[in-house]
Amino acid sequence: MIEPVKNTNKRQEIKMLNRKLLEISGVLNVESFDSEEFLLETEMGYLMIKGQNLHIKNLSLEQGLVAIEGLIHELAYVDGNTQEKSKGFLGKLFK
């Protein structure tokens, strides 16, 4: 059986400095964010970032770059639960 050729042009870099500054490349969209959680659509899938006092330091979707400041607690790729995450954020917003 012939396996389909995967797109190897996708690339993502994540740099973290002292858990206080996070620089991410390969970002396609910022789905949702607040001071405790960011949900980013990236070349490698949806990336969830959790922490305290989070805010965007730099954003350039044309270049696919995002810089986030704050105390970073967790980075996780989310598979298939993006709709639930977005609804969760909106649920928080309208409570």
Side-chain angles (χ1 to χ4, degrees), residues 10-23:
K10 293 181 180 179
R11 180 183 168 124
Q12 183 171 40
E13 284 187 23
I14 299 176
K15 297 179 187 177
M16 188 177 342
L17 179 63
N18 297 329
R19 290 182 61 185
K20 294 181 181 172
L21 177 63
L22 187 64
E23 296 177 350

Side-chain angles (χ1 to χ4, degrees), residues 47-90:
L47 178 63
M48 181 178 55
I49 300 140
K50 290 188 177 184
Q52 292 176 320
N53 300 320
L54 300 178
H55 62 274
I56 295 176
K57 179 182 178 185
N58 231 349
L59 173 64
S60 174
L61 292 179
E62 295 82 25
Q63 295 178 327
L65 301 173
V66 173
I68 298 172
E69 283 185 324
L71 182 59
I72 312 297
H73 293 305
E74 180 181 349
L75 299 175
Y77 285 93
V78 182
D79 295 328
N81 295 329
T82 56
Q83 293 295 333
E84 292 176 24
K85 290 293 176 188
S86 295
K87 288 180 185 174
F89 171 73
L90 290 176

